[in-house]
Amino acid sequence: AQSVTQLGSHVSVSEGALVLLRCNYSSSVPPYLFWYVQYPNQGLQLLLKYTSAATLVKGINGFEAEFKKSETSFHLTKPSAHMSDAAEYFCAVSTSGGSNYKLTFGKGTLLTVNP
Amino acid sequence: DAGVIQSPRHEVTEMGQEVTLRCKPISGHNSLFWYRQTMMRGLELLIYFNNNVPIDDSGMPEDRFSAKMPNASFSTLKIQPSEPRDSAVYFCASSFSSGRANTGELFFGEGSRLTVL
């Protein structure tokens, strides 16, 4: 079985401050890991993904995440928050290989950015 | 290329009525997923298809829910009869999976917001 836990359902930062959204995963096989972003009244968009290549993954809009196997973590960071980053962020895990699979999502973290 | 297209975007209906949600996946994608999003439960996978065949429907809440994929470019999720607790945003997502190229990345539609009164 696979699962993800997102620590903190709501994170609030000031514009220009560091953004850190936490995600821990559980998987019995090497995972593929994803961060998705959801803006109000929209579907989820892929922010970045880890697929067993480089452990530091860079995504869109200046976000990056580091896969740490020893900590079973895949935290999302951005050095300087922008007002447009306000959204809900979802961490997700899928197992590698095979033609039949599914993504398991975390509960989501709502990021608010204060001026 | 067009993304995943869902209709209707909003649906308000009364308890007991039949609801049909529609999805057109991205052309060339061979996997299709239906998710439900609520404040209480977050994102729940209801059912997914691979090459038009239902692979896992363990997330379908009960017999009132049914999903079909008659061809590679169309899927429906039907609720009959609908109940107020079915109120949620329903997302369709698609992907392409083929052996080692399979990573699990999904492309989502904008969702169908269902309100059952």
Side-chain angles (χ1 to χ4, degrees):
Chain A
Q2 57 196 28
S3 65
V4 289
T5 302
Q6 292 184 241
L7 299 175
S9 59
H10 187 195
V11 171
S12 182
V13 301
S14 298
E15 191 173 19
L18 171 72
V19 175
L20 171 60
L21 305 182
R22 299 177 187 273
C23 173
N24 288 90
Y25 71 91
S26 172
S27 177
S28 56
V29 296
Y32 288 159
L33 293 160
F34 306 80
W35 276 99
Y36 281 82
V37 60
Q38 184 180 28
Y39 298 102
N41 299 315
Q42 294 187 24
L44 280 71
Q45 304 171 32
L46 182 68
L47 206 53
L48 51 80
K49 63 182 178 183
Y50 165 77
T51 58
S52 73
T55 56
L56 182 63
V57 181
K58 294 187 184 299
I60 61 173
N61 301 336
F63 283 93
E64 62 182 36
E66 186 172 8
F67 172 70
K68 291 187 177 181
K69 184 178 179 180
S70 61
E71 299 177 8
T72 62
S73 68
F74 190 58
H75 301 331
L76 181 71
T77 60
K78 182 174 180 177
S80 177
H82 192 273
M83 296 295 290
S84 61
D85 295 327
E88 188 153 23
Y89 293 80
F90 293 89
C91 183
V93 62
S94 78
T95 51
S96 59
S99 60
N100 297 318
Y101 63 89
K102 58 186 180 183
L103 279 186
T104 301
F105 286 88
K107 296 286 189 187
T109 299
L110 182 65
L111 175 67
T112 57
V113 182
N114 304 308
Chain B
D1 282 341
V4 175
I5 299 173
Q6 292 187 245
S7 63
R9 289 295 313 278
H10 301 275
E11 173 96 7
V12 180
T13 191
E14 294 190 344
M15 184 173 64
Q17 296 299 305
E18 177 179 295
V19 173
T20 300
L21 308 178
R22 298 173 178 79
C23 176
K24 177 178 168 56
I26 292 172
S27 177
H29 282 188
N30 59 356
S31 294
L32 183 139
F33 303 75
W34 282 101
Y35 283 86
R36 177 171 68 177
Q37 185 178 37
T38 61
M39 291 287 290
M40 292 296 293
R41 296 200 184 92
L43 272 166
E44 304 172 274
L45 177 64
L46 300 178
I47 184 171
Y48 77 95
F49 297 83
N50 185 250
N51 294 323
N52 310 339
V53 176
I55 302 301
D56 183 353
D57 65 354
S58 60
M60 295 286 263
E62 48 200 271
D63 291 346
R64 298 184 298 106
F65 285 69
S66 63
K68 294 183 180 179
M69 192 165 186
N71 57 62
S73 59
F74 184 66
S75 176
T76 59
L77 177 67
K78 187 173 291 187
I79 309 172
Q80 166 65 15
S82 59
E83 297 182 2
R85 60 192 167 120
D86 302 331
S87 296
V89 182
Y90 291 81
F91 287 103
C92 177
S94 70
S95 69
F96 177 75
S97 62
S98 175
R100 290 183 179 273
N102 177 18
T103 65
E105 178 180 348
L106 298 184
F107 296 80
F108 282 79
E110 295 195 322
S112 294
R113 182 176 295 276
L114 173 65
T115 303
V116 183
L117 302 175

